[in-house]
Amino acid sequence: QKEVEQNSGPLSVPEGAIASLNCTYSDRGSQSFFWYRQYSGKSPELIMSIYSNGDKEDGRFTAQLNKASQYVSLLIRDSQPSDSATYLCAASLETGNQFYFGTGTSLTVIP
Amino acid sequence: DAGITQSPRHKVTETGTPVTLRCHQTENHRYMYWYRQDPGHGLRLIHYSYGVKDTDKGEVSDGYSVSRSKTEDFLLTLESATSSQTSVYFCAISGGLAGDRGWNIQYFGAGTRLSVL
């Protein structure tokens, strides 16, 4: 079974701090990785995609991928109260049409 | 919501009644998916489609059927709704033109909140 695992949290950080979210996956055939943000009562919204080992930065967000360790992380710098949401990690295989989601990590940024 | 429309957005129904949820996309993406999301379970795949009239089961397909007669429409039917099917249902799409940026990214509709009493 292809699994993506996340710490469900809740994770609380003070405003302005760095929030670190982690994800592991079981299928070594996974090629693409995604982080979605989901506000309460809303649909998942893509915030980052990463395909190669290393770091990928987009504004305050940095995704990190380590395929040898089967580990994906998301760093949120200068966390804002508006970042309070559930963050979903997802992986897909090379075919690109099957996606596997973690159960999400709830993040609260305290003003 | 990336050109994805789900209808209805909210529905309350009674146990034993049939229910059909609709997903309509304007992106011409090849793949369409139905998920349900419940507390503690995350997103669970119900069915997906890889083309017109081509569908396959996901991990929680029992009690659900789907149809895709046109590229843009993917219907989810609960033949006889049960209380255990009370959930939030999300439609998603992926598979734009290969080589296009984001071709293998999955985009979600706004969701349908279904209550079965």
Side-chain angles (χ1 to χ4, degrees):
Chain A
Q1 183 174 355
K2 299 172 178 57
E3 292 183 346
V4 175
E5 296 189 358
Q6 300 179 249
N7 187 329
S8 61
L11 174 65
S12 294
V13 299
E15 184 174 355
I18 296 175
S20 178
L21 306 167
N22 304 313
C23 171
T24 59
Y25 60 95
S26 62
D27 190 339
R28 287 194 173 273
S30 300
Q31 295 291 324
S32 304
F33 304 88
F34 310 92
W35 284 99
Y36 288 83
R37 178 177 61 200
Q38 186 175 23
Y39 293 115
S40 180
K42 301 295 185 181
S43 60
E45 170 194 16
L46 180 76
I47 53 172
M48 292 287 288
S49 60
I50 187 166
Y51 308 101
S52 304
N53 279 329
D55 295 358
K56 179 181 178 182
E57 186 174 317
D58 184 0
R60 296 186 296 112
F61 298 96
T62 299
Q64 300 174 317
L65 173 60
N66 184 325
K67 290 187 176 181
S69 300
Q70 297 177 245
Y71 178 89
V72 191
S73 66
L74 179 69
L75 300 177
I76 306 174
R77 291 182 300 280
D78 188 24
S79 295
Q80 300 297 308
S82 59
D83 294 326
S84 298
T86 296
Y87 289 80
L88 304 174
C89 175
S92 72
L93 302 178
E94 186 174 2
T95 53
N97 61 315
Q98 289 270 24
F99 297 81
Y100 304 93
F101 286 85
T103 54
T105 298
S106 174
L107 172 67
T108 299
V109 180
I110 304 167
Chain B
D1 295 320
I4 308 167
T5 303
Q6 291 188 233
S7 58
R9 292 292 314 281
H10 302 272
K11 187 168 182 67
V12 179
T13 191
E14 295 185 347
T15 298
T17 61
V19 176
T20 295
L21 308 182
R22 181 182 185 237
C23 179
H24 177 80
Q25 61 144 329
T26 58
E27 306 295 326
N28 199 33
H29 278 40
R30 177 180 178 186
Y31 301 104
M32 299 186 75
Y33 310 79
W34 278 108
Y35 292 91
R36 61 178 289 174
Q37 187 175 42
D38 305 286
H41 291 280
L43 286 163
R44 292 184 291 175
L45 182 66
I46 304 171
H47 283 278
Y48 70 99
S49 169
Y50 44 96
V52 173
K53 297 185 179 180
D54 291 324
T55 65
D56 207 348
K57 296 179 179 180
E59 64 178 304
V60 290
S61 59
D62 287 349
Y64 302 95
S65 62
V66 290
S67 65
R68 190 173 180 195
S69 59
K70 297 185 290 185
T71 298
E72 57 265 35
D73 290 326
F74 193 33
L75 303 181
L76 177 70
T77 297
L78 291 65
E79 300 291 348
S80 177
T82 67
S83 58
S84 64
Q85 294 175 312
T86 292
S87 187
V88 179
Y89 291 85
F90 288 105
C91 174
I93 64 173
S94 73
L97 292 176
D100 281 359
R101 183 183 178 190
W103 73 273
N104 67 334
I105 291 173
Q106 198 170 51
Y107 300 96
F108 287 83
T112 295
R113 187 172 296 274
L114 175 68
S115 296
V116 183
L117 305 179

